[in-house]
Amino acid sequence: MGAPNHRLLAGSPIEVVDSRTLFRGPAISQRNMGSLARLDDGQLLLAFRQGTGPVRRNDGVVVLSRSDDDGETWSQPVPLYAQPGWDCLPMGGLARLGDDPIRLVVGRIKLDFALGGPEPVADWYVCSLASRDGGRTWSEPGPEIRLFPCWTELYGASNPHPLADGRYLWACMGTLGRDTGWRAGVTFTGPGGDDFAPPTIIAAASDRDFADLDVVRLADGRFLAVIREFVTGESVFAHSRDEGRTWRPICPTGFKGANIKLHRLRSGTILCAYREGDAARPGVGCSVSDDGGETWRYIGRLYDAGADRTDVPGSPCGYPDLVSLGDGRLLCVLHTYPDVDGRVDLHLLRLEDRS
């Protein structure tokens, strides 16, 4: 498998300049769930899960690579977090609190496919590592982060969001039981990013499950959240005018998407990248909003999975992340569905903001 097929529509405010596969070798491996961060000196960090193939197992390791040439070349990935018998993965990924420190929110799960369902996870644990030297060295894992009765994840590819009073807002999601009672919201910390407050819920209902959210600040200062409805795949949005303390009732976006990533383009247009929930166009799709999330239009796919994709339990494609390189240049990372051999690839796309 080479670079991903992309199918952006004419008139899209973004353009794919080039794309390629990262770190592919002869072994059948699974590289997924990439998280990008750009430091003040221009260096890029990329954290992701690396595990064996051809099926996903409880052997994932969180690794980190660096680039000092805007993503043209990358260092050999080094392991940061592993636990024998567990599947370790980014559970929030790289989070910059200024340039010092950097947080890497990680977790470990025990997959048990006999449980069935979209999340066949028997056990989980979430914590974070910290770096004060630009990601060259890292602390030991911190204490468990538990914001919900069961599953907790600091899901929000754009985390964290600085507030005027020096605190940070973080998107988060979790459950009331094992794979039940999914809800999505935000939590707050102080400047150090390790004193999480009880979550403020944006979306929850007794007969619906909400997850996979991201938050972005609009040009007018409001926050916009886009959230996946877990069962139907439909996405919803909500706004906050008071720094995330309260949120307007959720409304439908009109598109189906998971693994939400939001990014504000130069014009103020909001780009939403997501794993497609529409079976007719599998892959990683994009929609944009010119009115702060009230209405959306589809602009195509950053990754076209094709009709011959293989749907394997526990191995969906997606998890897009984006960073700005300046001057309208963007870098995007995402991962594929498994190929016929069970290999999952991490792809890097160089984009241009034409808005």
Side-chain angles (χ1 to χ4, degrees):
M1 184 183 297
N5 295 321
H6 46 82
R7 297 182 183 275
L8 293 177
L9 304 181
S12 165
I14 59 170
E15 177 183 2
V16 178
V17 178
D18 63 62
S19 57
R20 69 184 193 274
T21 302
L22 292 179
F23 311 116
R24 199 176 214 240
I28 297 177
S29 301
Q30 298 193 350
R31 299 178 178 90
N32 46 12
M33 303 175 186
S35 175
L36 284 165
R38 187 171 187 260
L39 306 184
D40 287 344
D41 62 5
Q43 290 195 71
L44 294 167
L45 303 181
L46 171 61
F48 59 96
R49 174 192 177 271
Q50 182 166 288
T52 61
V55 297
R56 187 172 170 186
R57 308 176 189 277
N58 288 317
D59 65 0
V61 177
V62 178
V63 299
L64 182 78
S65 178
R66 318 171 59 86
S67 173
D68 58 9
D69 55 8
D70 286 345
E72 290 292 336
T73 60
W74 294 88
S75 66
Q76 182 68 25
V78 296
L80 290 187
Y81 184 70
Q83 188 78 23
W86 292 77
D87 188 20
C88 297
L89 63 156
M91 282 278 219
L94 291 160
R96 283 198 52 197
L97 291 86
D99 219 30
D100 181 16
I102 303 166
R103 290 275 172 184
L104 175 58
V105 183
V106 297
R108 59 182 190 260
I109 62 176
K110 287 197 174 180
L111 293 163
D112 183 355
F113 293 109
L115 294 172
E119 298 291 337
V121 178
D123 203 357
W124 52 86
Y125 185 91
V126 181
C127 61
S128 72
L129 318 178
S131 173
R132 295 187 177 276
D133 57 6
R136 292 177 179 81
T137 61
W138 294 84
S139 69
E140 293 291 328
E144 181 181 14
I145 302 169
R146 187 177 286 258
L147 303 176
F148 296 90
C150 289
W151 182 276
T152 290
E153 188 170 355
L154 289 168
Y155 200 104
S158 303
N159 282 340
H161 303 271
L163 303 178
D165 61 4
R167 295 180 304 146
Y168 286 95
L169 176 149
W170 306 67
C172 62
M173 67 183 194
T175 64
L176 300 181
R178 198 208 70 79
D179 205 12
T180 62
W182 288 88
R183 62 252 344 268
V186 295
T187 180
F188 302 88
T189 69
D194 55 7
D195 52 342
F196 294 96
T200 297
I201 303 301
I202 304 173
S206 60
D207 59 345
R208 302 176 70 187
D209 289 314
F210 297 93
D212 290 13
L213 74 158
D214 200 18
V215 173
V216 68
R217 192 183 285 279
L218 302 177
D220 62 12
R222 292 179 299 162
F223 278 123
L224 166 69
V226 176
I227 305 165
R228 170 195 181 194
E229 201 285 308
F230 203 90
V231 176
T232 67
E234 299 286 349
S235 298
V236 298
F237 74 92
H239 290 111
S240 173
R241 294 181 176 273
D242 56 6
E243 297 288 80
R245 290 187 292 273
T246 62
W247 293 81
R248 301 283 293 176
I250 57 173
C251 296
T253 63
F255 61 82
K256 292 184 176 182
N259 308 148
I260 304 297
K261 167 61 184 181
L262 298 173
H263 184 85
R264 194 173 90 193
L265 300 177
R266 290 189 293 181
S267 64
T269 292
I270 299 302
L271 169 70
C272 183
Y274 48 86
R275 181 173 72 250
E276 282 280 8
D278 185 339
R281 51 191 193 202
V284 174
C286 294
S287 293
V288 294
S289 176
D290 298 317
D291 55 11
E294 298 290 344
T295 60
W296 297 84
R297 63 185 173 93
Y298 179 71
I299 62 167
R301 278 170 284 175
L302 294 173
Y303 162 53
D304 178 8
D308 58 349
R309 76 186 190 280
T310 53
D311 282 319
V312 178
S315 296
C317 81
Y319 293 82
D321 197 12
L322 285 149
V323 293
S324 174
L325 301 179
D327 300 323
R329 298 172 300 140
L330 303 172
L331 210 60
C332 174
V333 65
L334 58 86
H335 72 257
T336 66
Y337 283 106
D339 66 13
V340 294
D341 296 318
R343 184 181 283 105
V344 175
D345 280 323
L346 201 64
H347 285 303
L348 192 75
L349 295 88
R350 197 173 300 276
L351 311 176
E352 182 180 347
D353 178 355
R354 303 170 56 192
S355 68

